[in-house]
């Protein structure tokens, strides 16, 4: 692994360790680039707010801390500063307007909930309802079609348990469109390490058949998870068996 673009910080309220610890592990394990992409602040209306993402008033501190470390470690590793964000149609434009002030290097899409979060369901909940699978694919494709996302993190988070032919149909159109848009799909190493419902072999078989670019993402919520050699070995074996086309670097799409 030369680059990891999926790294969190304590500001998401479920990750641990200092930014420096993540960076030191990345340097020790030979990474050339480390991208921080903590769960994005989101501009919701009313009193609702997620409990798993940074708050808007934490955003300046996120950039201040990482920009200082970027200068300090400039001769050892290339640091990028971005966010993992959902596409919530009612609030996406306001959120992008807010994030644009800080000039992040990139965004990755991580669609944890459907609709606008507060009125949707968790994407990883088991379901045999085709309408939920269809909505997941429709909504994430609308997000990718904005042109603002450099990667689709854990795209196989959707946990459809129904007819495999229905799964193949919808995931097939997701993979084909992602390939057309030039957006890489991420094999998520946290899911692999914790034996979650993702990575899902059916998904990656379809991605391989459609020639999608695939990148490994640590989804690091603790410093030890950055380029962990044991997990990486499993990930490369997993990808090789499924015949996916791995890439080492993303073409980043800054918000301008």
């Amino acid at each position: 692994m030369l680059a990891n673009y999926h790294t969190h910080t304590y500001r998401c309220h479920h990750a641990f360790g200092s930014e420096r610890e993540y960076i030191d592990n990345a340097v020790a394990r030979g990474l050339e680039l480390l991208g921080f992409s903590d769960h994005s602040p989101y501009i919701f209306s009313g009193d609702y707010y997620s409990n798993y993402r940074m708050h808007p008033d934490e955003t300046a501190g996120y950039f201040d801390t990482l920009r200082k470390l970027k200068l300090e470690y400039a001769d050892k590793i290339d640091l990028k500063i971005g966010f993992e964000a959902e596409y919530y149609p009612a609030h996406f434009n306001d959120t992008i307007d807010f994030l644009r002030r800080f000039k992040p290097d990139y965004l990755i899409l991580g669609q944890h909930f459907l609709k606008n979060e507060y009125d949707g369901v968790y994407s990883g909940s088991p379901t045999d309802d085709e309408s939920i699978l269809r909505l997941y694919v429709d909504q994430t494709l609308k997000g990718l079609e904005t042109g603002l996302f450099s990667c689709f993190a854990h795209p196989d988070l959707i946990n459809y348990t129904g007819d495999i032919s229905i799964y193949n149909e919808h995931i097939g159109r997701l993979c084909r469109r992602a390939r057309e848009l030039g957006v890489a799909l991420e094999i998520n190493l946290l899911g692999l390490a914790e034996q979650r419902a993702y990575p899902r072999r059916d998904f990656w078989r379809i991605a391989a058949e459609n020639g999608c670019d695939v990148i490994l993402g640590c989804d690091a919520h603790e410093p030890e998870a950055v380029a962990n050699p044991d997990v990486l070995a499993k990930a490369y074996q997993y990808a090789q068996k499924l015949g996916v086309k791995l890439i080492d670097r993303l073409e980043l799409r800054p918000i301008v």
Side-chain angles (χ1 to χ4, degrees), residues 13 22 79 115 134 209 217:
H13 311 291
Y22 288 88
L79 296 182
K115 297 184 180 179
R134 180 186 296 110
E209 289 171 354

Side-chain angles (χ1 to χ4, degrees), residues 157-230:
L157 175 62
I158 185 68
N159 193 1
Y160 182 71
T161 60
D163 190 304
I164 190 62
S165 65
I166 293 174
Y167 182 82
N168 291 346
E169 175 189 348
H170 290 289
I171 297 304
R173 63 189 180 90
L174 186 158
C175 289
R176 287 190 294 274
R177 188 63 176 137
R179 184 198 64 215
E180 291 169 359
L181 294 167
V183 179
L185 307 175
E186 178 209 74
I187 293 179
N188 188 271
L189 302 195
L190 176 60
L192 186 65
E194 296 188 350
Q195 297 183 322
R196 298 181 177 182
Y198 60 94
R200 177 169 173 167
R201 289 180 180 274
D202 290 329
F203 183 98
W204 295 107
R205 171 182 52 79
I206 297 167
E209 289 171 354
N210 283 279
C212 295
D213 286 340
V214 178
I215 194 162
L216 302 182
C218 295
D219 198 356
H221 286 73
E222 58 183 5
E224 179 60 26
V226 176
N228 181 290
D230 294 333

Side-chain angles (χ1 to χ4, degrees), residues 34-87:
L34 182 65
F36 282 87
S37 52
D38 208 359
H39 291 284
S40 170
Y42 227 93
I43 307 303
F44 294 107
S45 54
D47 296 331
Y48 175 80
Y49 207 75
S50 310
N51 60 6
Y52 72 92
R53 66 175 75 249
M54 78 170 70
H55 197 272
D57 63 13
E58 296 176 291
T59 311
Y62 177 65
F63 278 91
D64 288 346
T65 298
L66 288 173
R67 282 174 174 153
K68 289 174 183 175
L69 288 166
K70 181 179 177 70
L71 291 174
E72 181 180 340
Y73 282 82
D75 62 341
K76 296 180 179 179
I77 193 168
D78 184 12
L79 296 182
K80 301 295 185 184
I81 311 169
F83 292 106
E84 178 183 10
E86 295 81 2
Y87 177 72

